Amino acid sequence: MVAKYLFTVKSTFNSVKQSSKYASVVIRKHSVWTQDRVIKSPYKDIEIPNLTLYDYVWQNLDRWPERTASVCAETGRGYTFEQAFNLSNRFAANLRTKFKIRDGDTVAVMLPNIPDYSLVSLGILAAGGVITSINPIYTAHEVQRQLKMSEAKAIVTLPEVVPVIKESLKIAKISIPIIVVKINGNPAPEGTVLFNELSEDIHTDNSVLKEVRRSVNDICFLPYSSGTTGLPKGVELSHRNIIANCEQINDPINAMHNETTASHQDSVMGVLPFFHIYAATVLMFHKLSIGAKLVALAKFQPETFLKTIEKQKTNIMMVAPPLILLMGSHPAATEKTFEHVQLVCNGAAPLAASDVERFLHRTKRDIDFRQGYGLTETSPTVAISPRRSKRYEATGPPVGSTELRIVDGDLKNLGPNETGEILIRGPQVMRGYRDNPQANKEAFTADGWFRTGDLAVADEEGIVSIADRLKELIKVKGFQVPPAELESLLREHPSVSDAAVIGVPHQSKGETPRAFVVLKNGHKCTEKQLSEFVNEKVAAYKHVDDITFIDSVPKSAAGKILRRVLRDQYC
């Protein structure tokens, strides 16, 4: 399933604009539409370095070894770039020697946003491994599924999450090492290994890392994107995919950073979860590659969040709509709170203009406000509006080296100002879904275009606006909730014959799941009983608390649930 990201950017970036590194970037003067009705990027094609993601992130380490790479927003615990490099390398060497991780092996990361997240991730890459990220609030049922699908050889987590991991391994009937990151004085759980000991062992022989043989086309990151017609699918992203996306957003007109110099280092708010592709690429990997400081906020609390913005002199923020709403309305959010903020990137879902204006009024700053569009399958950035754009409803043209098509139901190209499904081709597009040839056949056209399932319209200048989505993923506070997963769980209840789930508007969540349930003949069950049955098996944001009992679920002749009919009849 396409995991869509709409984001908003506001910025004042003089240092990037003046950087000679980007002097050669130009915007095409001719039309971005070809005669065949393909939209070409107006920006110069990117050059993709022949590096692994690990080498890409560290390639300029000698320019800022003593700068802070990552720091905990609450405790101040953190690492310099030099420390992060050394610690991640020792961890990598121990992954190969003590846990026999080999090139292409998958290692799961189930952590909140802590300073060690990037060290763990880069260590896995240095060992030749593949990262699969897991939401740290997942239940054992959800975790075991991803561990099995990804064939993870080890998992890294926090001590307090170990009981969930052990239960998931029991359900999956597998046994893999559990590595824990200890961030306080509590003892490590029995049967686990400390990440801290693996990374801080100065006697580690790093020469074993010379055995690693990974190329730019090898898979390095395996996030799972939720589907509406089945279980989540593993999105295979290569080193080249993610590096290409980093280079695409280095364009000075699209850039979301300042150059790191002797007198300046960006302070980037890490509140969006690193296990999501948007935060992983645009926030973590990219910002570390340009020498920015990553401020990790593990647990969201409004007052802590707002104080951190001011205390850390945050100038770059990646957030979701609920945070924008909070920053525009919370009593503790003042002009001083946002004194140093230069850029705010709103991810996961669009915002109403009134919500944006309310927030901007709080900041009292003359800044740009932009939108962009991306997906898990595209690493994620596809399109972003240029600096100082005032077209708040639009996402902008495609980034460098990217082509788009707007097509009708027969996949025939449409022209300017015509609404259709958006198709993408570019170096950031995933290799494919892991072990899922049917999904790949549905996702790609015969000539290699990726089908997003999203409806869009583009004007004469190639400026894209997302109109709607063909697929029915529910977005709860920016998190993906696949209806099929909840429907499957509802049907597991002994009293349920059939079920359908749709997303309905919610004042604070954006959307929330609403279930329609058909009971078996002669069975009785309450809404509360069904809610408890489902909710104990899924993360809190997937909870179903709104259930309607109906006689039958409307379906097409092919058996597909007609969710629009449910909306028309009940919403």
Side-chain angles (χ1 to χ4, degrees):
M1 172 61 188
V2 172
K4 179 174 58 180
Y5 295 87
L6 286 162
F7 50 88
T8 311
V9 183
K10 66 169 189 173
S11 60
T12 53
F13 293 128
N14 293 327
S15 59
V16 169
K17 184 180 179 182
Q18 296 168 358
S19 172
S20 60
K21 176 180 178 181
Y22 306 110
S24 63
V25 180
V26 295
I27 297 180
R28 291 190 177 98
K29 298 297 183 182
H30 57 79
S31 172
V32 297
W33 287 87
T34 69
Q35 290 184 344
D36 296 329
R37 293 186 168 186
V38 172
I39 305 170
K40 297 276 190 177
S41 172
Y43 308 116
K44 183 178 178 180
D45 288 345
I46 62 167
E47 294 183 9
I48 306 173
N50 187 28
L51 300 170
T52 64
L53 181 56
Y54 174 83
D55 291 329
Y56 179 83
V57 169
W58 296 122
Q59 63 181 325
N60 292 312
L61 175 63
D62 60 335
R63 292 177 55 190
W64 41 69
E66 300 304 318
R67 292 281 196 181
T68 299
S70 58
V71 63
C72 176
E74 296 186 76
T75 67
R77 184 181 66 87
Y79 307 97
T80 66
F81 275 85
E82 186 174 38
Q83 289 172 333
F85 175 79
N86 291 331
L87 291 168
S88 63
N89 269 276
R90 291 179 195 141
F91 176 54
N94 279 312
L95 281 178
R96 289 190 73 92
T97 56
K98 296 181 179 180
F99 301 100
K100 306 306 177 185
I101 297 300
R102 294 296 177 260
D103 294 356
D105 284 348
T106 301
V107 178
V109 181
M110 189 176 175
L111 292 169
N113 286 15
I114 57 176
D116 317 78
Y117 201 113
S118 57
L119 277 64
V120 169
S121 300
L122 290 165
I124 293 169
L125 296 180
V130 175
I131 304 162
T132 189
S133 51
I134 302 178
N135 190 331
I137 65 171
Y138 267 7
T139 65
H141 179 79
E142 294 165 309
V143 174
Q144 63 89 22
R145 182 173 58 211
Q146 186 164 335
L147 292 179
K148 288 201 299 186
M149 293 176 70
S150 66
E151 298 181 322
K153 298 295 191 295
I155 185 168
V156 185
T157 190
L158 292 183
E160 54 265 37
V161 184
V162 169
V164 174
I165 302 297
K166 289 185 175 180
E167 178 62 22
S168 71
L169 296 178
K170 182 179 178 181
I171 296 172
K173 298 179 180 179
I174 58 177
S175 177
I176 60 174
I178 302 174
I179 302 169
V180 296
V181 180
K182 201 166 79 166
I183 58 177
N184 51 42
N186 295 335
E190 183 179 353
T192 65
V193 180
L194 279 177
F195 164 78
N196 311 68
E197 292 181 355
L198 298 173
S199 61
E200 295 171 11
D201 182 4
I202 60 174
H203 300 294
T204 300
D205 181 8
N206 287 357
S207 65
V208 69
L209 299 180
K210 295 178 182 179
E211 301 172 359
V212 175
R213 296 289 184 272
R214 301 295 280 167
S215 75
V216 293
N217 292 316
D218 288 326
I219 305 303
C220 69
F221 195 43
L222 187 66
Y224 274 74
S225 181
S226 298
T228 62
T229 57
L231 295 175
K233 300 182 286 290
V235 178
E236 294 186 322
L237 298 175
S238 69
H239 295 270
R240 186 175 187 269
N241 290 150
I242 296 180
I243 291 173
N245 212 223
C246 289
E247 288 296 300
Q248 287 166 328
I249 61 175
N250 270 340
D251 187 288
I253 299 179
N254 298 331
M256 294 182 283
H257 69 277
N258 294 289
E259 185 179 359
T260 302
T261 65
S263 58
H264 176 81
Q265 181 190 28
D266 281 340
S267 178
V268 185
M269 172 60 72
V271 63
L272 286 184
F274 295 155
F275 60 82
H276 274 179
I277 184 61
Y278 183 76
T281 295
V282 181
L283 204 161
M284 184 171 65
F285 292 129
H286 177 263
K287 295 305 177 289
L288 289 175
S289 76
I290 54 92
K293 176 175 70 173
L294 206 53
V295 181
L297 188 62
K299 185 178 181 181
F300 177 76
Q301 294 176 325
E303 291 76 13
T304 301
F305 170 66
L306 294 170
K307 287 179 181 178
T308 298
I309 297 172
E310 184 176 345
K311 179 182 177 181
Q312 292 288 343
K313 297 183 178 179
T314 304
N315 67 311
I316 294 181
M317 299 180 64
M318 311 286 180
V319 296
L323 295 176
I324 291 286
L325 299 178
L326 178 134
M327 291 189 292
S329 61
H330 197 282
T334 66
E335 180 181 355
K336 185 172 175 56
T337 304
F338 310 109
E339 179 181 0
H340 300 282
V341 175
Q342 292 180 312
L343 177 149
V344 171
C345 178
N346 174 61
L351 284 162
S354 58
D355 295 326
V356 176
E357 289 166 1
R358 188 179 303 111
F359 166 63
L360 297 181
H361 180 72
R362 282 288 179 104
T363 68
K364 300 187 185 303
R365 297 171 65 87
D366 182 19
I367 50 178
D368 282 343
F369 181 88
R370 298 182 279 156
Q371 287 220 60
Y373 168 70
L375 313 95
T376 300
E377 290 86 344
T378 57
S379 303
T381 312
V382 171
I384 187 169
S385 53
R387 297 173 63 226
R388 298 190 178 88
S389 170
K390 297 299 181 182
R391 295 185 55 180
Y392 301 149
E393 82 289 354
T395 63
V399 293
S401 299
T402 302
E403 299 173 295
L404 304 180
R405 291 166 57 196
I406 308 295
V407 301
D408 63 16
D410 296 320
L411 297 184
K412 293 181 180 179
N413 288 355
L414 299 174
N417 304 313
E418 294 182 301
T419 301
E421 182 183 1
I422 185 169
L423 273 59
I424 302 167
R425 187 164 65 184
Q428 73 273 47
V429 177
M430 67 170 179
R431 289 269 300 271
Y433 296 114
R434 172 158 292 191
D435 300 327
N436 201 331
Q438 181 59 36
N440 288 326
K441 184 179 180 180
E442 296 171 358
F444 289 95
T445 64
D447 54 350
W449 289 83
F450 174 66
R451 300 189 60 176
T452 67
D454 292 322
L455 291 175
V457 60
D459 64 13
E460 293 82 356
E461 298 177 357
I463 305 298
V464 178
S465 297
I466 305 301
D468 201 347
R469 58 179 179 254
L470 294 174
K471 299 185 180 180
E472 293 140 339
L473 192 69
I474 304 169
K475 290 294 187 71
V476 180
K477 291 186 175 181
F479 290 103
Q480 306 174 33
V481 179
E485 179 182 359
L486 298 178
E487 290 161 356
S488 176
L489 289 173
L490 284 164
R491 286 192 291 267
E492 288 179 9
H493 192 282
S495 295
V496 173
S497 171
D498 201 359
V501 176
I502 64 173
V504 295
H506 190 277
Q507 185 174 5
S508 62
K509 298 178 182 179
E511 284 186 307
T512 190
R514 180 177 180 183
F516 297 87
V517 173
V518 179
L519 294 178
K520 294 178 180 177
N521 290 335
H523 284 248
K524 292 183 179 181
C525 186
T526 67
E527 180 179 342
K528 181 180 179 182
Q529 288 172 328
L530 274 181
S531 292
E532 291 176 348
F533 178 80
V534 173
N535 294 350
E536 68 179 8
K537 296 179 175 66
V538 296
Y541 66 87
K542 297 180 184 178
H543 282 186
V544 179
D545 299 311
D546 185 356
I547 298 176
T548 301
F549 294 101
I550 59 177
D551 293 332
S552 64
V553 173
K555 295 181 181 180
S556 69
K560 183 178 180 181
I561 295 173
L562 299 176
R563 302 181 202 280
R564 189 171 296 278
V565 173
L566 290 171
R567 289 192 179 90
D568 292 343
Q569 290 184 357
Y570 297 98
C571 300

